[in-house]
Amino acid sequence: MLIKLTDISAAYNKDIVLSKVNLTVNKGDFVGIIGPNGGGKTTLLKIILGLIKPVSGRIEYAENLNIGYLPQQNDSDTLFPISVEDVVFSGLMGTGFNTKQKPVNNFNKLKKKYSNDCEELLTKMQIADIRHKSLGELSGGQRQKTLLCRALISKPDLLLLDEPNTYIDKNSEFELYKYLDEMSDVSSFLLVSHDIGSITNHIKTIACVNKELYYHESNIITEEVLSAYNCPIRLITHGTIPHTILKDHNHD
């Protein structure tokens, strides 16, 4: 067990956004998190990270758990004079959320020790040629790729990805999922996405979050199952190939 959430509820200004959520993530899990806007997906990740305190419930973590995180939106200061390469290496400065591990503070030693890992990530994300540029010189897609590399550099036990394909092109998206597949033997993933069609071949299970959490022990979901759990996805099948789209959700 890496993390276990038991009866977790969360609220903003007394408005409940998550209610009695239960979820266990084990080593090797690859969970796709889907649901409507405002359903609580990002809140769930922030609770796991300790960035938001639940109003009730309990969270358990494996000892020395190293958690990596890619937020949904880039809130970094683009005026701060730091290069792409150093942003990536900065992902090693603190070795994860909610752990007892001591952060490593010798930046030069970090750069030397993990230079090959950094090079591999920059190459896979096709940003090796801009390694010396500052954040302020980058496009939205380039910043997203840089932050993806930062989240991956420490090879976390658990990686939380909130809409990781935002701003990146299809080729980079393919390389990202290929890299995650390669890491799946040593890492676990919680991946928030609206594009369920793109992630179905990579995830192993699905959690539908809309205030409550409904967990499906497969990456294949029938429309009957979704209807039973009030999950806002509609399945469309052409021949033997299923497609999925978000449909209107009843908040009553």
Side-chain angles (χ1 to χ4, degrees):
M1 183 272 293
L2 296 181
I3 60 169
K4 183 177 181 180
L5 282 66
T6 305
D7 291 334
I8 291 293
S9 295
Y12 295 113
N13 297 322
K14 297 184 178 181
D15 292 328
I16 297 294
V17 292
L18 288 175
S19 178
K20 295 187 179 301
V21 166
N22 293 282
L23 178 67
T24 299
V25 180
N26 297 302
K27 183 177 179 180
D29 284 353
F30 198 146
V31 184
I33 300 177
I34 62 174
N37 289 333
K41 302 185 298 297
T42 296
T43 299
L44 176 65
L45 297 190
K46 289 183 176 181
I47 285 175
I48 293 171
L49 291 166
L51 301 177
I52 294 176
K53 185 177 180 180
V55 295
S56 63
R58 183 176 74 256
I59 308 176
E60 301 170 65
Y61 299 92
E63 186 175 2
N64 294 330
L65 180 65
N66 179 18
I67 304 179
Y69 176 49
L70 176 74
Q72 183 177 19
Q73 296 179 353
N74 178 10
D75 294 326
S76 57
D77 185 355
T78 57
L79 298 179
F80 189 77
I82 185 172
S83 69
V84 166
E85 187 176 71
D86 284 349
V87 169
V88 176
F89 280 121
S90 71
L92 296 160
M93 295 297 287
T95 51
F97 294 84
N98 303 300
T99 76
K100 297 178 182 179
Q101 299 176 0
K102 295 180 180 179
V104 180
N105 294 315
N106 191 316
F107 199 62
N108 289 330
K109 284 186 177 180
L110 280 177
K111 292 177 70 171
K112 184 176 181 180
K113 181 177 180 179
Y114 291 93
S115 60
N116 290 337
D117 298 283
C118 181
E119 182 67 29
E120 179 184 359
L121 285 169
L122 292 174
T123 300
K124 282 183 178 293
M125 288 294 107
Q126 301 178 347
I127 54 174
D129 58 331
I130 61 169
R131 68 177 71 230
H132 299 302
K133 286 190 174 183
S134 67
L135 284 181
E137 298 178 273
L138 307 184
S139 66
Q142 290 171 332
R143 285 197 298 273
Q144 184 77 338
K145 291 179 183 180
T146 299
L147 294 174
L148 275 170
C149 292
R150 183 184 186 276
L152 292 165
I153 186 69
S154 67
K155 292 184 171 62
D157 305 305
L158 176 63
L159 181 60
L160 311 184
L161 299 161
D162 200 349
E163 299 286 355
N165 57 346
T166 304
Y167 302 124
I168 63 176
D169 54 50
K170 283 297 179 183
N171 187 51
S172 296
E173 181 181 326
F174 173 80
E175 291 298 330
L176 165 65
Y177 290 127
K178 181 180 177 182
Y179 188 81
L180 295 182
D181 289 339
E182 292 170 355
M183 289 179 62
S184 61
D185 288 339
V186 294
S187 298
S188 301
F189 308 98
L190 290 179
L191 191 156
V192 171
S193 179
H194 284 101
D195 190 0
I196 189 65
S198 294
I199 67 174
T200 299
N201 290 332
H202 308 280
I203 61 176
K204 297 177 181 179
T205 57
I206 292 177
C208 184
V209 177
N210 186 23
K211 191 171 287 187
E212 298 177 336
L213 186 148
Y214 305 104
Y215 187 73
H216 308 280
E217 296 275 359
S218 170
N219 64 348
I220 301 174
I221 304 178
T222 66
E223 188 165 8
E224 288 74 20
V225 169
L226 294 173
S227 297
Y229 289 116
N230 205 25
C231 200
I233 299 289
R234 184 186 301 278
L235 298 181
I236 302 174
T237 300
H238 297 283
T240 60
I241 303 174
H243 299 265
T244 56
I245 60 173
L246 290 174
K247 64 182 180 181
D248 291 338
H249 189 85
N250 183 2
H251 293 283
D252 296 337

